[in-house]
Amino acid sequence: MVVLDATVVNIALPSAQRELGMSDGNRQWVITAYTVAFGGLLLLGGRIADLVGRKTTFMVGLVGFAVASGLGGAATGPGLLFGARALQGAFGALLAPSALSLLTTTFTGGKERGKAFGIYGAIAGGGAAIGLIAGGLLTEYLDWRWCLYVNVPVAVLAFAGAAVFLHDRPDRGRARLDVPGVLLGCGGLVAIVYGCSEARPRGWSDALVLGLLTGGVLLLALFAWWQTRARYPLLPLPIVRDRNRGGAFLTMGLAVIAMFGMFLFMTYYFQAVLGYSPVKTGLAFLPMTAAIVIGSTQISARLLHHLAPRLLMTPGALLAAVGLFLLTFLTAEPAFVSHVLPAELLVGLGMGLIFMPVMATATTGVASRDSGVTSATVNTAQQVGGSIGTALLNTLATSSSATYLASRMADASRTGQLTPAVRSGIVKDAVVHGFTVAIGVGSAIMLLAAVVAWFMVTARAPKHRPRPARDAATAAV
């Protein structure tokens, strides 16, 4: 529900804009309000889960998310919709780390852990694509408001399941909430996510964007300094200093940069270039979603117990990089079977091989009292990577399209061939050219993720890890 909501309203946005009278400049806040609140408050949500109790925060997050979704669906003006989306993001920041940390503390080893993380990885990787499919179906056959209302019954079912099946004991101890850390860490993340969101319409050289990004980096630097001195740090630095965990965080961020860029461009390619309907656009992502599920649940989940994590992450990133590279050969002519379908299958399988071992590695060996904030850090890497990828690759695509368009228009004018049909063809070619350039950069970023996974994530397969001394002593007794 949380991952899906980052993309489910994308296809519904034009309908919502028309009905509520949003301006072109303000419409982005339907997306930005959610991503800024979600990405900025994740660390706080994770630490609250550790202090209050993961089951409690999970259930509170569900209720809040459902209420916010209902408010957004019933919005009568842009302001209420923007506020509801921000509220969704805030409760999502409480809900997402609680869910992953509950998984971490419930499944501590063996095949069950592999299965559980395989399912979770499939949801985390495929949720964005499922959001596009659901958005298309709900918008075309019901109404854009159902892209928000649909969360209410899902939350009700999850709440009932949590009340019956979830068991958790908070590790309160004598810990307290690190208020300066909250202000510095959350402030820095909000500034960076907001800056990346504003980079799409404004450009990277805009003063506001540069100010937000610079301020965000400075706040995070101060946050890191404070965490070495705080009595009860919001994010204990040993969590991110661990080589394998740090490699997993970085691999996640890089992979998501490339993946979210692909979602953005392929959505526009299907609708603006090929003329697909919202439903057909959503269904066009179905092969990739299926491949992610298969990669996570049928391959990664079965092999993680026997193979070192990097032996899954690295081939996964390489497969995804090849899939993205295939998309650099797209043209304005329909080429779903020859180009898009093979690329989607490769990217989907690759992401399925990446997500599950990344999340399992990032949360392995963490003390129960820190599982919430560790889970929040995984989600933060995913969210910040998505924000950076969408903004960075969109800027590259736009600038490349503009350069290509100006050059081809000038050539056609000189030869006297600039008819309306030729102009339309050049515009489409320019749009696709920008997409292919940006996706090519995404492919290179995915290759970098493969390198990071191979050299940083050196953990051994679970069955080959040495048994802790306490477990050995217990077995001897």
Side-chain angles (χ1 to χ4, degrees):
M1 185 173 66
V2 173
V3 179
L4 177 147
D5 249 70
T7 57
V8 71
V9 298
N10 282 20
I11 294 178
L13 188 54
S15 300
Q17 181 181 1
R18 285 193 300 270
E19 184 172 331
L20 299 182
M22 280 182 261
S23 67
D24 288 342
N26 286 335
R27 68 182 176 186
Q28 64 151 332
W29 279 102
V30 177
I31 310 297
T32 304
Y34 181 86
T35 57
V36 169
F38 183 54
L41 298 176
L42 274 166
L43 284 180
L44 175 59
R47 182 49 87 194
I48 290 175
D50 290 331
L51 296 178
V52 175
R54 288 164 282 273
K55 178 178 177 178
T56 301
T57 52
F58 181 79
M59 296 175 76
V60 169
L62 281 170
V63 172
F65 203 94
V67 171
S69 299
L71 286 174
T76 55
L80 182 56
L81 180 59
F82 299 156
R85 289 287 287 168
L87 201 59
Q88 275 187 308
F91 280 105
L94 194 65
L95 184 55
S98 301
L100 182 54
S101 59
L102 278 166
L103 208 69
T104 302
T105 55
T106 302
F107 300 97
T108 55
K111 292 184 178 180
E112 275 102 13
R113 180 178 173 87
K115 291 178 183 177
F117 275 88
I119 294 168
Y120 190 92
I123 293 169
I130 293 171
L132 295 171
I133 297 170
L137 291 169
L138 292 169
T139 301
E140 189 153 326
Y141 293 115
L142 291 174
D143 184 71
W144 69 267
R145 296 178 184 275
W146 277 97
C147 291
L148 295 164
Y149 285 146
V150 71
N151 292 318
V152 177
V154 175
V156 169
L157 288 172
F159 187 91
V164 175
F165 297 112
L166 291 183
H167 303 283
D168 179 58
R169 183 177 63 189
D171 296 291
R172 294 184 180 91
R174 298 181 59 192
R176 298 290 183 272
L177 192 62
D178 174 21
V179 176
V182 168
L183 296 176
L184 292 171
C186 294
L189 289 172
V190 166
I192 288 176
V193 174
Y194 182 30
C196 290
S197 300
E198 286 294 308
R200 290 180 62 186
R202 294 173 178 266
W204 289 95
S205 59
D206 182 79
L208 175 63
V209 173
L210 290 175
L212 286 167
L213 295 177
T214 303
V217 170
L218 289 175
L219 285 173
L220 290 182
L222 287 172
F223 170 75
W225 169 81
W226 172 252
Q227 295 306 282
T228 63
R229 288 157 176 76
R231 186 177 181 184
Y232 303 111
L234 178 66
L235 177 62
L237 291 185
I239 289 175
V240 292
R241 282 177 181 159
D242 179 85
R243 175 175 181 155
N244 293 300
R245 199 168 291 119
F249 293 150
L250 190 53
T251 300
M252 170 69 86
L254 291 170
V256 171
I257 286 176
M259 190 179 77
F260 268 63
M262 175 193 172
F263 281 142
L264 174 68
F265 301 135
M266 295 310 296
T267 300
Y268 277 100
Y269 175 76
F270 290 140
Q271 293 194 66
V273 178
L274 301 186
Y276 284 10
S277 67
V279 170
K280 192 174 181 180
T281 297
L283 293 176
F285 284 102
L286 195 56
M288 182 167 62
T289 306
I292 290 173
V293 171
I294 292 170
S296 291
T297 62
Q298 301 303 311
I299 301 177
S300 289
R302 295 173 184 272
L303 295 179
L304 184 63
H305 194 58
H306 304 284
L307 296 178
R310 67 175 178 175
L311 295 181
L312 293 171
M313 295 182 200
T314 303
L318 291 174
L319 278 175
V322 172
L324 291 170
F325 182 71
L326 288 178
L327 292 176
T328 63
F329 296 99
L330 281 178
T331 66
E333 299 299 318
F336 186 85
V337 175
S338 61
H339 287 77
V340 178
L341 181 59
E344 284 191 359
L345 294 175
L346 287 172
V347 172
L349 284 173
M351 296 308 294
L353 291 175
I354 293 171
F355 272 107
M356 185 268 187
V358 160
M359 292 179 178
T361 301
T363 55
T364 295
V366 178
S368 177
R369 64 180 179 274
D370 293 326
S371 64
V373 75
T374 304
S375 301
T377 309
V378 179
N379 282 282
T380 299
Q382 186 176 358
Q383 182 63 32
V384 173
S387 298
I388 292 174
T390 301
L392 174 63
L393 297 181
N394 184 67
T395 302
L396 288 172
T398 303
S399 59
S400 298
S401 292
T403 302
Y404 182 93
L405 183 64
S407 174
R408 291 291 301 274
M409 286 289 191
D411 291 342
S413 295
R414 280 196 298 269
T415 58
Q417 298 176 344
L418 195 58
T419 63
V422 170
R423 181 189 298 273
S424 176
I426 291 175
V427 170
K428 282 189 175 182
D429 288 340
V431 170
V432 175
H433 174 76
F435 291 169
T436 56
V437 169
I439 289 174
V441 173
S443 178
I445 293 172
M446 194 66 81
L447 283 176
L448 180 59
V451 173
V452 168
W454 182 259
F455 287 103
M456 287 191 67
V457 183
T458 57
R460 302 173 69 183
K463 70 175 185 178
H464 296 304
R465 287 175 184 153
R467 179 182 293 174
R470 185 179 62 183
D471 291 352
T474 301
V477 172

